Amino acid sequence: MKFTTAMKAVATASVFALMMSTAASAVTLQLHNGGDPRTLDPHKASGNWEDRPISDYIEGLMTLDPLGEPVLGQAASYDVSEDGLVYTFTLRDDAVWSDGTPVTAQDFVLGAQRLQDPATASSYAYLNHFIENAEAINSGEITDFDELGVKAIDDKTVEITLNAPTPYLLAALTHYTAYPVPSHVVEEHGEAWSQIDNLVANGPYVPVEWVPGSFIRSEKNDSYYDAANVAIDEVVYHITEDDNAALNRYRAGEFDILSSFPADQYQLLQDQYPGEAHVAPFLGVYYYVMNQESEALKDMNVRKALSISLNREVIGPDVLGTGELPAYGWVPPGTANYEGEQYMPDWASEDYGTRIADATALMEAAGYSADNPLNLQLRYNTNENHRRIAVAIASMWEPIHVRVELFNAEVGPHYDALQEGDFQIGRAGWLMDYNDASNMLDLLKSGTAQAGGNIAWGNNYGRYSNAEYDALLAQAATELDLVARAGMMHEAEAIAMDEFGVLPIYYYVSKWVISPRISGFEDNAVDRHLTRYLSKSE
Amino acid sequence: MLSYALRRVLSAIPVALIAITACFFILRLAPGGPFDQERALPANILRNLRAAYDLDQPLVVQYFLYLARLLRGDLGPSMVVQDFTVSQLLALGLPFSIMLGLVAFVIATAIGLLAGMIAAVTRNKWPDYVLVLVVMIGLVVPNFLMGSLLQLMFGVYLKWLPAGGWQPGSVAHLVLPVTVLAWPHAARISRLMRGSMIEVLGSNYVRTATAKGLGQRLILARHAIKPALLPVVSYLGPGLSYLLTGSLIVEQIFGLPGIGKYFINAALNRDYGLVLGTVILYMFLILALNLIVDLIYAWLDPRVRYR
């Protein structure tokens, strides 16, 4: 054997041995991540299955603690102006990208500009339209990006100017839309900066491998300022949309964490894996929209009858089996900046039999009877749970002279029909983007007039409209006193609910399964859980 | 034989163009679009998105833009899986789907042929009954149920095999997906082979060979197998294209990185570019496989060439 060949063999064996020893000691988290991520670019992402790998590799000015509360991230400190319109953040001295380049204020400015750049075509750009000139830049009215209200005062200071006081700003900065981008990598690779081979991270992990349809693998970023406290060395985000298959793999010991599970397996989990299934409320509402332009549903008494005859108490425990909380109001419990009592109508405490009798009377007063029932079409998007709920609710409405035709469609055409107003009753759901009541209440604001005489109703699919409601929300948007602001929003919520502008059914719950080997996982209202807080015992 | 093959290849070109055109326009006529989602997008953002993918152009212009790009070998961007182009996605998924499909095909064909022959030779005896029962399980139990049952049995309870996922080079990770994929295919082949073989074994020339005193093995090898294979061969082409393209459920259940699920997900999400890309790829595979089968058929039965 030649000397060089022998040396190569020794070197290869050494590297292999080193890899083996590293592999043996590395702690790998096997995480079921649900759907197939569409992108690792924070400004093009839109789902929580993208948020998990992204929020593990990029960190914003603010980040989340294990309980989902905003805490300082890449920022070391911040100041707020007296009028609540200008926030000044100072970056940490030890904030660096994984290639050793320091994180600068310019990275945040570029991130914010890129989000609003029409060429980026970010579908969530509107979430940050509270920033000065953001909406105008995004719509192309302003083409000079330097007019955006996010500026670099110097390398380590970022200034954000808002249109109006935004009490949820710190929470909004934890969202991936507010994340920075590595300017030096974007300069070098352009839009390909977020491809797996080009990525650099300022968060606790760096994605290193992506097999579409199968998994994304990230490794610990040793340049992260808090790397010493990061216990998991490697995370594999497994792509498995079939919840039953994912549960089988958890039971086979292949997954440490499931990010969802089939509702009908909840009992099995409780019996066979006590304490491992985590079902906890989080910020979102499952609801039916009632088209206020539909002849029958214009009548508030009909809408009231439909709402009070709905037995919400059985939906979560019996129809779904996972104990979702019944929703009588619009803003979920646990919402931030929302001091005051939760909305609860008087009729909610009445005996269900009485409610059915009242609802029947209301329907009969509206001209409907057993011989002349109200025929309604109920649209829902394809999903076994949506179907079960629709069937249950249709049977609840039968005694009050309502005959329901169920109509299901794929998610795209379903929401297309809702947005077009082409429905009578439609299933919808809203998971809050940031923890503030305005994110729910804005859904019921009146539409705005567009060129050509159209009205853009946005996500207000039912076309609910009340001038007093709109005025209260407009007033709340500029109110600095958080208690007074909450009061205005409570008043607005009561108006919409008393008019049965929408039909809330239940508050969402998050459904995780956590292996006993994992510690550090905390249920939280925003249902976001950063890997950096987790640890795994062998 | 060469001119026959050439004729077949040339006749595939207009078929491909018609299929692409039909798919392009049918997709656009379907309700919904690639940017429909639970949350209504503000008008300006929707405008930005549509402009980014040429969807703001008239439909005919979009069609010719697509064809022009296609001629340059560019399948365009995926409108939904944004970090990859359609070509990149297909290039990443195709080798795995082909590998999975081919392994399943080879195993299913070998087992199917052998089982069919054994069942035919032992007709109405216990090996025949057992094989018919096993075949029926493969045909009757849907693959999503079969996948879950096998995961539970071999992954969860016995822990002999991985319940899902994929590691390059790991044979263990392939066992359950291949079984689910191959079983119904093997079942169909064995049924075809059994029926065909029974027919051949009852034919005059086999009776003559038996009367001449030839042994059963010799009769099978020399006189029965080749003619009995004809109906099986005509199934192999569609069967292989089914295995290469129909692994959607298997890929979903086992979390495998093939292209099967892209097709359905892309169709559901109205990802026009990815749907067209997968259709073109599948079409190419199906045309190529059918051509190969026809050539084999022509070799087995020369009369075919001259029709």
Side-chain angles (χ1 to χ4, degrees):
Chain A
M1 186 187 286
K2 284 183 183 173
F3 178 73
T4 49
T5 314
M7 286 305 289
K8 273 184 193 168
V10 170
T12 308
S14 309
V15 169
F16 190 67
L18 189 67
M19 281 168 66
M20 293 291 284
S21 65
T22 310
S25 61
V27 179
T28 302
L29 179 73
Q30 307 287 352
L31 173 69
H32 160 232
N33 192 41
D36 204 351
R38 299 169 171 195
T39 177
L40 287 177
D41 183 331
H43 302 138
K44 293 179 178 172
S46 61
N48 56 8
W49 53 94
E50 283 147 358
D51 177 41
R52 288 182 202 117
I54 289 174
S55 289
D56 275 347
Y57 96 88
I58 306 195
E59 189 175 88
L61 291 165
M62 303 296 293
T63 186
L64 294 166
D65 70 7
L67 293 169
E69 295 294 330
V71 290
L72 289 167
Q74 296 284 292
S77 63
Y78 68 91
D79 288 317
V80 192
S81 65
E82 270 187 26
D83 59 3
L85 292 180
V86 181
Y87 283 68
T88 308
F89 292 87
T90 306
L91 298 184
R92 312 175 57 98
D93 289 331
D94 49 359
V96 290
W97 295 100
S98 50
D99 61 357
T101 309
V103 175
T104 64
Q106 191 53 37
D107 296 335
F108 286 90
V109 174
L110 182 63
Q113 290 179 348
R114 193 173 170 272
L115 178 75
Q116 301 304 337
D117 183 350
T120 308
S122 169
S123 56
Y124 269 7
Y126 68 91
L127 284 182
N128 290 355
H129 282 180
F130 50 72
I131 295 172
E132 187 183 48
N133 291 331
E135 192 168 1
I137 289 172
N138 194 223
S139 64
E141 284 169 43
I142 294 178
T143 51
D144 180 2
F145 293 174
D146 289 340
E147 290 192 33
L148 183 68
V150 180
K151 310 225 181 288
I153 303 302
D154 56 43
D155 273 358
K156 289 287 177 187
T157 313
V158 183
E159 183 188 89
I160 300 178
T161 308
L162 309 171
N163 295 319
T166 309
Y168 55 88
L169 177 78
L170 297 181
L173 293 180
T174 68
H175 194 264
Y176 47 77
T177 47
Y179 287 172
V181 289
S183 317
H184 60 294
V185 183
V186 175
E187 200 175 312
E188 187 183 346
H189 295 288
E191 282 302 284
W193 75 272
S194 62
Q195 290 190 358
I196 196 88
D197 297 333
N198 303 331
L199 277 182
V200 296
N202 72 340
Y205 293 92
V206 196
V208 291
E209 191 179 6
W210 182 356
V211 181
S214 193
F215 65 85
I216 291 174
R217 188 170 66 81
S218 293
E219 289 175 354
K220 185 175 167 182
N221 173 14
D222 291 325
S223 308
Y224 183 59
Y225 61 84
D226 196 31
N229 293 315
V230 175
I232 304 278
D233 298 305
E234 185 183 53
V235 196
V236 184
Y237 309 87
H238 291 275
I239 297 155
T240 303
E241 287 170 70
D242 183 329
D243 283 349
N244 277 304
L247 180 58
N248 282 343
R249 293 182 67 182
Y250 178 83
R251 296 174 71 194
E254 292 171 20
F255 290 162
D256 300 311
I257 293 182
L258 291 184
S259 60
S260 59
F261 61 81
D264 58 3
Q265 299 293 310
Y266 187 39
Q267 196 56 49
L268 174 141
L269 281 163
Q270 284 178 308
D271 294 343
Q272 296 186 7
Y273 304 89
E276 294 177 35
H278 288 233
V279 174
F282 83 112
L283 302 175
V285 178
Y286 185 103
Y287 64 101
Y288 279 178
V289 273
M290 298 180 282
N291 191 342
Q292 322 276 315
E293 290 176 349
S294 153
E295 206 49 51
L297 298 169
K298 273 181 187 164
D299 184 343
M300 197 174 86
N301 284 332
V302 171
R303 301 202 300 269
K304 180 176 181 180
L306 293 175
S307 184
I308 67 174
S309 58
L310 204 160
N311 192 353
R312 292 164 174 82
E313 308 293 334
V314 303
I315 301 284
D318 300 327
V319 178
L320 296 174
T322 25
E324 280 79 353
L325 295 170
Y328 293 95
W330 190 230
V331 181
T335 302
N337 309 318
Y338 206 55
E339 295 299 314
E341 276 192 27
Q342 205 182 342
Y343 175 85
M344 187 60 73
D346 295 339
W347 52 263
S349 56
E350 282 176 5
D351 166 64
Y352 185 61
T354 310
R355 276 160 49 187
I356 287 288
D358 291 348
T360 311
L362 284 168
M363 290 300 289
E364 285 170 358
Y368 301 103
S369 63
D371 297 330
N372 177 35
L374 169 60
N375 293 305
L376 284 178
Q377 188 187 66
L378 195 168
R379 294 186 72 115
Y380 63 96
N381 53 303
T382 309
N383 175 289
E384 182 52 25
N385 282 348
H386 299 339
R387 191 189 65 79
R388 284 156 66 181
I389 291 168
V391 168
I393 289 179
S395 69
M396 290 173 195
W397 285 341
E398 217 173 271
I400 66 163
H401 314 313
V402 177
R403 194 177 293 154
V404 175
E405 179 207 350
L406 299 181
F407 184 95
N408 95 297
E410 297 159 32
V411 67
H414 173 72
Y415 278 95
D416 198 33
L418 294 195
Q419 284 158 20
E420 294 294 320
D422 179 20
F423 71 101
Q424 288 179 294
I425 305 241
R427 176 266 149 195
W430 189 263
L431 303 178
M432 287 166 63
D433 301 302
Y434 45 86
N435 193 354
D436 190 87
S438 63
N439 192 228
M440 284 304 306
L441 294 166
D442 281 352
L443 293 186
L444 299 178
K445 281 201 301 198
S446 300
T448 48
Q450 304 283 293
N454 296 324
I455 295 178
W457 287 95
N459 293 302
N460 182 357
Y461 309 126
R463 280 94 168 115
Y464 171 73
S465 180
N466 180 300
E468 201 184 341
Y469 180 91
D470 296 340
L472 279 164
L473 287 192
Q475 201 183 340
T478 57
E479 177 58 59
L480 274 175
D481 180 339
L482 287 183
V483 176
R485 179 178 178 268
M488 293 165 196
M489 293 197 290
H490 272 291
E491 215 178 311
E493 182 186 12
I495 290 171
M497 292 297 104
D498 289 347
E499 287 193 332
F500 303 92
V502 70
L503 210 158
I505 297 172
Y506 65 78
Y507 298 116
Y508 277 110
V509 289
S510 55
K511 289 181 271 192
W512 292 78
V513 186
I514 311 295
S515 155
R517 287 177 298 173
I518 302 297
S519 50
F521 183 95
E522 301 281 353
D523 298 325
N524 64 55
V526 292
D527 195 30
R528 291 179 67 199
H529 310 270
L530 301 180
T531 306
R532 63 181 278 209
Y533 300 118
L534 304 179
S535 56
K536 179 179 172 180
S537 61
E538 290 304 322
Chain B
M1 193 75 165
L2 189 67
S3 68
Y4 172 74
L6 206 63
R7 277 204 313 274
R8 292 297 316 275
V9 170
L10 287 175
S11 67
I13 294 173
V15 172
L17 190 65
I18 292 168
I20 292 168
T21 308
C23 185
F24 183 91
F25 286 102
I26 289 170
L27 259 180
R28 303 305 166 103
L29 290 175
F35 311 119
D36 286 339
Q37 47 183 295
E38 283 202 25
R39 297 163 179 219
L41 292 171
N44 64 309
I45 286 170
L46 195 58
R47 200 169 54 238
N48 294 342
L49 281 165
R50 291 179 63 81
Y53 294 100
D54 294 332
L55 296 178
D56 53 349
Q57 303 284 335
L59 197 54
V60 178
V61 176
Q62 290 181 43
Y63 172 69
F64 284 108
L65 281 173
Y66 185 78
L67 280 190
R69 228 175 19 213
L70 196 60
L71 283 174
R72 294 196 302 271
D74 179 6
L75 292 169
S78 162
M79 292 167 196
V80 176
V81 190
Q82 300 179 355
D83 278 7
F84 297 89
T85 64
V86 171
S87 305
Q88 281 174 323
L89 284 172
L90 298 183
L92 281 166
L94 187 63
F96 184 85
S97 289
I98 286 182
M99 188 262 291
L100 185 66
L102 281 181
V103 172
F105 176 77
V106 171
I107 290 174
T109 308
I111 291 176
L113 289 177
L114 194 65
M117 279 193 281
I118 293 171
V121 172
T122 61
R123 186 156 59 126
N124 298 332
K125 293 182 185 150
W126 71 265
D128 184 28
Y129 296 139
V130 170
L131 286 169
V132 167
L133 181 71
V134 174
V135 162
M136 286 307 287
I137 293 171
L139 289 176
V140 168
V141 181
N143 53 6
F144 65 88
L145 186 60
M146 178 76 76
S148 293
L149 288 173
L150 294 180
Q151 272 184 329
L152 271 177
M153 192 185 298
F154 295 102
V156 176
Y157 296 123
L158 298 173
K159 297 196 190 303
W160 288 352
L161 292 164
W166 171 240
Q167 276 174 20
S170 164
V171 175
H173 281 82
L174 277 180
V175 175
L176 294 183
V178 165
T179 306
V180 176
L181 202 55
W183 198 331
H185 185 68
R188 280 188 206 97
I189 290 178
S190 72
R191 269 164 59 110
L192 277 173
M193 190 62 187
R194 180 180 179 275
S196 165
M197 185 68 106
I198 286 171
E199 201 181 317
V200 170
L201 290 178
S203 64
N204 289 336
Y205 65 88
V206 170
R207 261 203 300 273
T208 309
T210 312
K212 276 164 59 183
L214 286 180
Q216 196 186 31
R217 282 186 190 175
L218 202 60
I219 292 172
L220 282 175
R222 195 175 288 173
H223 299 291
I225 290 180
K226 197 173 166 187
L229 275 176
L230 277 172
V232 178
V233 168
S234 51
Y235 168 75
L236 290 183
L240 179 56
S241 32
Y242 167 78
L243 284 179
L244 292 180
T245 59
S247 51
L248 162 76
I249 304 288
V250 174
E251 287 174 12
Q252 292 256 13
I253 291 175
F254 291 98
L256 301 173
I259 56 168
K261 67 180 177 183
Y262 283 130
F263 181 67
I264 296 294
N265 284 347
L268 290 176
N269 291 319
R270 303 285 185 271
D271 188 344
Y272 301 138
L274 190 50
V275 173
L276 280 166
T278 42
V279 163
I280 289 168
L281 184 70
Y282 285 167
M283 190 173 58
F284 177 78
L285 279 175
I286 290 167
L287 289 174
L289 291 171
N290 282 342
L291 177 67
I292 291 168
V293 168
D294 285 350
L295 292 178
I296 294 174
Y297 211 96
W299 171 71
L300 285 174
D301 185 354
R303 289 171 298 174
V304 172
R305 273 176 253 172
Y306 305 107
R307 276 181 199 159

